[in-house]
Every structure is written in C-alpha cells, then in structure tokens.
Amino acid sequence: MTYPAASELDHLDDVAVLQHLQAANRAMSGDLLRDPVTLARGLESTYRMRPHLRVIGEALADVGRGLCPRLMIFTPPQVGKSTTVAEWFPFWWLCLYSMDRVAVTSYGDDLALRRGKTIRGYVEEYGEEYDLHMKPGSGAMQDWEVTRGGGVRSVSVGKGLTGFDVNLLIIDDPHKDRADAESEASRRALHDWYSSTALKRLQPDRNAVVGIQTRWHPDDWAGRRLADEGRIEEGGRWRVIHLPAIADPKFGPDPLGRAAGEPLPHPKIPTRNRRALKAWWADMKRTSIVRDWHSLAQGDPQPAEGALVSDELLRMLRDTTSKVEPQKIAVAIDPSGGGRDVAGIIGGFLGDDQRVWITHDRSAAMSSADWSTAACLLAHETNAAIIYVEWNFGRDMCELAIRTSWETLQREGRIPADILMPQIAPVRAKQGKLLRAEPVAQQMVQDRVRLRGVFTDMEREWATWMPSDPDSPGRIDASCILVYGLIPDANKGAIVHAPLPTAPTSPASRQPPPSAGPYARRISK
C-alpha cells in the first residue's frame, strides 16, 4: 500500500484551506447581495449606514425581487439617497441580473454621466467577485456593457433612450430646480418623454422604475405619476418611501416609526446624537424660505398660485428691529387638537403703532390637556393679559381646560401661585374658514399685521392655503383669532377678492398704517 508523501499532504491541506476560503468568500459575497445597502456597506468603507438607508435598501431589494416594480423615494438632500439608489442599486442589480439593461436618467447629462462612471467603477473594482466583467471595447462612459449582455446607459431626461432596451429605469432628480419644475412647458415635456419614450423601452420579462427627486411642484414628475396611477395603499401602483427631515403625521405612518417632530438621521451625524440632528435640520429650516423648506426637506410641495397671501408679502412683514411698545399682550387658541390635528397656539400683542405683532407660534399636534398647558405657559412667559378662544366652537370646554391647566401648573410650581390667570375672552369669528381668513389677510396687505421673526410653519400655511380648501390649518385659525381679538374692526367684513402681495410700509415706520381707519385714531387719542 502506497501512502502520500508529507509534501503531498501539505499540498492537500493547502487546497482544502483554499477551498474553504473560496467557499467563505462566495458565501460572504452572496450575503452582501441581500440588498444594495448591505452591498455598499460591505464593499465601501466610506459608506455610512443609517436607519433610513436600511429602509431604502430593503425597499430596493423588493424592487429587485419583483415585489414592487414601481418605487418613489423622497428624502431631504445630502442624506445618501442618490448614492444608494442611482449608483449602488444599479451595480447590485447587475450582480443579480447581468443580462439586464439599466438606464440612469437625470435633469442633465453631466449628472447622469457621473452616475454612469461611478457604476462602471464598481464593476471594474468589485465585479469579478460576482462574475461581472466589462465587455472588451466598451469604452464609452455614457453607454457601456458587460460580457453577459447587460449594461448601463446614463443620459438626461428627454433624450437618449431610443433603441435601448430597459429592464431598470432610474429617474434621479428629473427637475433641475424650482424654476424648471414650475415651468408648465418643462413639466409637459418631461411628462411626454416619460410616457412616449421612457416607458416604451421597458421590457416584459423584467421591468422596474425607481424615482428619487425633490418635490418642487404638485404636478412634477412624481406628482403626476401619483395622481394618474396612485399609491399601493390606495389600490394604485406606486410604493412611496417618504422620509421628511422632521416626522409629521400628515404624511401617514413614518417609515422609521418616528414620533411627530423627530429628526431624520444624517450620514455625517451619529444617529444617537439627536441634539445635533435637531440642530442641523433646525438650521436648514431657519435658513430656507418657507416653500423651499417644505419642498427640499419635507417632500411636501406647495402651490404658489391662488393662496390668500404670498411668500413675498410674508417676508416683507417680518420685522425684528422696529421699536414698538406693547399695549395689550395676548395668546390665541384654536383648539382643534385631539392628538391628531394641530392645535393652533399663537402669541402676540397690539403695539402702540396700532399693529398686531405676532411673536410666538407654539402650535403642534396635542391633546386638550397639552394645548391648554402650552397656552398657559406661553401666556405666563409673555405676561399676556388675555387668552382668546373661539366662541363658535367648544367655548366652555376651552375655558375649563385652560383654568384646569393654570391651576395644575401653579400646584406644580411652574407658574407662581401669586400670578393671576389671564382673562379668558371668546372671539366671535365669522362662520366659514374663508370669511374668517380673508379679512385677516387683508390686514396683512394693509400692513396692520407684522411678524416679530420668522415663523416657517405658520407662514407656509398662510402662503399655501387655498380659499377652496374645506378646512384651514390651526395656525391660520389661531392667528385669525388673535387679530380679531386685538383689532375687532377686522371682523366687520370680508373682502371679495384675494389680496395682492402689496409691499407694506417701511419697518422703521412708527406711524399708524394709513388703512387702519377710525380704530387707529381711536387708539391714538
């Protein structure tokens, strides 16, 4: 009997070890294909995992497995969505389906080309592990193939897909900016291209469309698709992953399970550092105009036309420098809370210039106990002499809730026991939301209302609420109640047409506004 030499045994051991290593590598490579985010995290050390990216990765994996062939993703800028969706996802797709054709489109050729070059770089650097190799002679960065027949074409929307079969279509920011999205001609051209060209290139064996974009306009690419084809939960076609910078119940259940007001994670901020996250998004909110904040950060486009007042007018009403002496300080409440709708809590005063100055907005989704407590604390903080509540709805309930909260806060020591509770005064506003809001909008146009700062949420509601809307938001109602309480004349009549965005007088002016009428003369005596 012949036995193998020791050197042969060593060789067999080396072969076995190599086979084990290869098997382990194959298993690890297979594990990385669980979803695009897992793949990116495993291959690229600079890719930062965050909870929202995990949600996006799982949704993309569902697309790849045919479970949801139409997907939209809305997030603020710079949180990793484009890198994940427009770069790692196509590479992941080719690792699974190397015979498929992927189209990556964007508003401009340069951005699309950058995506295509990045995906090609992943194939060249990591593709061998997945038997993915560049086809010899496939040198074009904008249109290249792999040896098994698949490939990527990266072009701007509106062109470049004729003659190119598509299994996966990625639409990455189809609108260049707000001006492009608000151009009816540009939107029409985009919708026509998507319908007549892009969709016609999709193949029957496997096809998917994934869109990521800033929601600039209600009729932008995503808005039109949702209007025409609907969301999955409504019996439609599109799955939507909506991850606003600040969680808001108005968008439905949050994909991350965040409570209202909680911040979105950011790749460059540790997830557990909530203070830094809140500060980051608060700074973005503070430095953005109202419409940009809600479009860019919240994924909530707002129309510019048809609202009672304009963004421009509201910006002109901001005044933090004029010296004005408060004559009557008040807090106004719209108690439409119940834990679901926003309860409006607005603070302000009537100045010696006969204007109403709005100073605080403590509105939020709150229960009756919470909004009455918030109103009492604001009244104490501002030394308010009066709390206005709406006569038309729930007057007795409001008074009881406020008195109960004031007494509770005094027992807890949060309000000194010797501080008298402000007077509770009902305001009999006009019936109907439009009749109630239009006169106050007119007061803004006539420069009888100014803002002592930037109130992004309240301004957004005023600048986007349409007279045709059946309900008005809590901040609008509360600010109307405040104005009606401090300037009773505002409640005497409604205007017929929505006011124009007329510039107010100079913030430095201390004279009563010329349109203030007899009420201003009566106050100045």
Side-chain angles (χ1 to χ4, degrees):
M1 184 172 182
T2 304
Y3 295 94
S7 58
E8 292 177 327
L9 287 175
D10 290 341
H11 174 68
L12 290 175
D13 288 342
D14 290 342
V15 170
V17 169
L18 178 61
Q19 290 174 340
H20 280 297
L21 288 175
Q22 291 174 335
N25 285 335
R26 286 193 297 271
M28 184 179 69
S29 298
D31 290 341
L32 292 183
L33 291 178
R34 175 180 172 278
D35 62 67
V37 170
T38 300
L39 182 65
R41 187 184 186 188
L43 296 180
E44 186 66 65
S45 61
T46 59
Y47 186 91
R48 294 182 175 92
M49 173 63 71
R50 292 294 184 264
H52 68 286
L53 296 177
R54 172 60 67 197
V55 169
I56 291 173
E58 291 172 353
L60 294 173
D62 287 343
V63 173
R65 298 182 180 103
L67 300 178
C68 89
R70 298 292 184 272
L71 175 67
M72 292 181 188
I73 299 170
F74 308 138
T75 77
Q78 305 299 316
V79 296
K81 71 176 181 298
S82 291
T83 298
T84 301
V85 179
E87 295 176 357
W88 282 107
F89 179 46
F91 174 64
W92 176 86
W93 186 284
L94 288 174
C95 289
L96 293 177
Y97 311 115
S98 56
M99 297 179 65
D100 280 3
R101 313 296 295 279
V102 178
V104 180
T105 64
S106 187
Y107 63 78
D109 281 330
D110 289 345
L111 179 58
L113 177 60
R114 190 162 69 245
R115 304 293 186 211
K117 290 173 65 176
T118 300
I119 302 164
R120 178 179 175 134
Y122 293 155
V123 172
E124 292 173 339
E125 185 171 358
Y126 307 118
E128 184 173 356
E129 197 67 39
Y130 302 97
D131 198 21
L132 196 60
H133 305 278
M134 292 296 303
K135 182 178 179 180
S138 184
M141 292 296 180
Q142 204 159 8
D143 187 0
W144 47 266
E145 297 181 33
V146 294
T147 53
R148 291 194 174 184
V152 172
R153 177 171 290 187
S154 49
V155 295
S156 61
V157 296
K159 60 182 181 181
L161 290 183
T162 302
F164 184 81
D165 296 341
V166 177
N167 299 102
L168 170 62
L169 172 63
I170 295 175
I171 298 180
D172 173 24
D173 275 334
H175 302 280
K176 181 178 180 180
D177 49 28
R178 180 182 294 285
D180 180 60
E182 290 186 346
S183 165
E184 185 177 355
S186 293
R187 293 199 310 274
R188 186 186 307 116
L190 174 61
H191 296 321
D192 288 346
W193 167 82
Y194 179 75
S195 175
S196 64
T197 302
L199 288 182
K200 301 306 181 287
R201 308 313 307 167
L202 293 176
Q203 298 303 295
D205 56 339
R206 186 167 36 252
N207 67 81
V209 181
V210 177
I212 50 176
Q213 69 161 93
T214 295
R215 291 300 318 276
W216 288 118
H217 192 279
D219 188 46
D220 56 21
W221 177 82
R224 177 69 68 89
R225 307 286 78 73
L226 293 176
D228 289 351
E229 301 176 43
R231 298 169 180 254
I232 284 179
E233 60 268 26
E234 299 167 353
R237 189 170 193 182
W238 288 87
R239 180 180 178 184
V240 177
I241 304 296
H242 188 171
L243 291 160
I246 302 298
D248 191 329
K250 69 176 287 186
F251 303 129
D254 187 74
L256 293 176
R258 294 176 295 168
E262 287 298 301
L264 185 72
H266 191 284
K268 295 187 177 181
I269 301 175
T271 302
R272 294 183 180 180
N273 193 344
R274 292 179 64 258
R275 178 179 297 180
L277 287 169
K278 285 190 171 184
W280 172 256
W281 297 122
D283 185 66
M284 175 181 283
K285 185 175 183 179
R286 185 168 52 251
T287 56
S288 301
I289 66 172
V290 176
R291 291 182 66 210
D292 282 353
W293 164 256
H294 286 277
S295 294
L296 285 163
Q298 295 297 89
D300 184 25
Q302 301 297 329
E305 306 83 10
L308 284 178
V309 294
S310 69
D311 283 313
E312 178 188 4
L313 173 61
L314 291 164
R315 286 196 298 274
M316 287 188 284
L317 293 178
R318 297 173 189 159
D319 180 359
T320 60
T321 60
S322 292
K323 294 181 179 180
V324 59
E325 189 69 28
Q327 303 297 297
K328 182 188 290 186
I329 303 172
V331 170
I333 305 173
D334 171 50
S336 54
R340 295 184 305 275
D341 300 329
V342 169
I345 301 174
I346 301 293
F349 63 84
L350 179 67
D352 59 353
D353 58 354
Q354 296 14 293
R355 293 184 176 93
V356 172
W357 292 79
I358 293 177
T359 59
H360 295 79
D361 177 10
R362 298 290 169 81
S363 308
M366 294 181 280
S367 67
S368 60
D370 290 334
W371 62 248
S372 57
T373 297
C376 289
L377 289 172
L378 179 58
H380 173 58
E381 175 186 336
T382 59
N383 198 28
I386 193 164
I387 297 176
Y388 291 119
V389 297
E390 186 180 357
W391 179 289
N392 304 31
F393 177 77
R395 173 191 174 190
D396 294 338
M397 182 272 291
C398 284
E399 289 197 29
L400 177 61
I402 293 167
R403 293 185 188 279
T404 300
S405 291
W406 189 273
E407 293 170 359
T408 300
L409 289 168
Q410 287 191 318
R411 285 197 306 271
E412 294 174 349
R414 300 171 70 183
I415 295 178
D418 60 346
I419 299 294
L420 294 177
M421 187 182 74
Q423 175 190 354
I424 302 175
V427 172
R428 190 189 295 274
K430 289 179 174 292
Q431 295 286 350
K433 303 292 187 179
L434 177 59
L435 291 179
R436 184 180 311 171
E438 277 200 324
V440 176
Q442 185 65 67
Q443 301 302 310
M444 294 180 181
V445 171
Q446 294 174 348
D447 193 23
R448 296 188 70 186
V449 177
R450 287 194 182 173
L451 310 178
R452 208 62 161 165
V454 179
F455 300 96
T456 302
D457 294 320
M458 185 187 71
E459 292 178 39
R460 173 256 180 187
E461 291 182 2
W462 271 107
T464 59
W465 184 72
M466 301 293 174
S468 57
D469 293 345
D471 297 306
S472 57
R475 291 179 175 85
I476 288 183
D477 282 349
S479 53
C480 287
I481 293 167
L482 180 70
V483 173
Y484 284 154
L486 294 175
I487 309 179
D489 281 7
N491 199 21
K492 287 186 175 179
I495 57 178
V496 177
H497 300 291
L500 298 175
T502 306
T505 57
S506 169
S509 172
R510 294 288 311 283
Q511 299 299 317
S515 58
Y519 180 74
R521 292 193 295 273
R522 187 165 63 249
I523 290 293
S524 61
K525 288 181 179 179

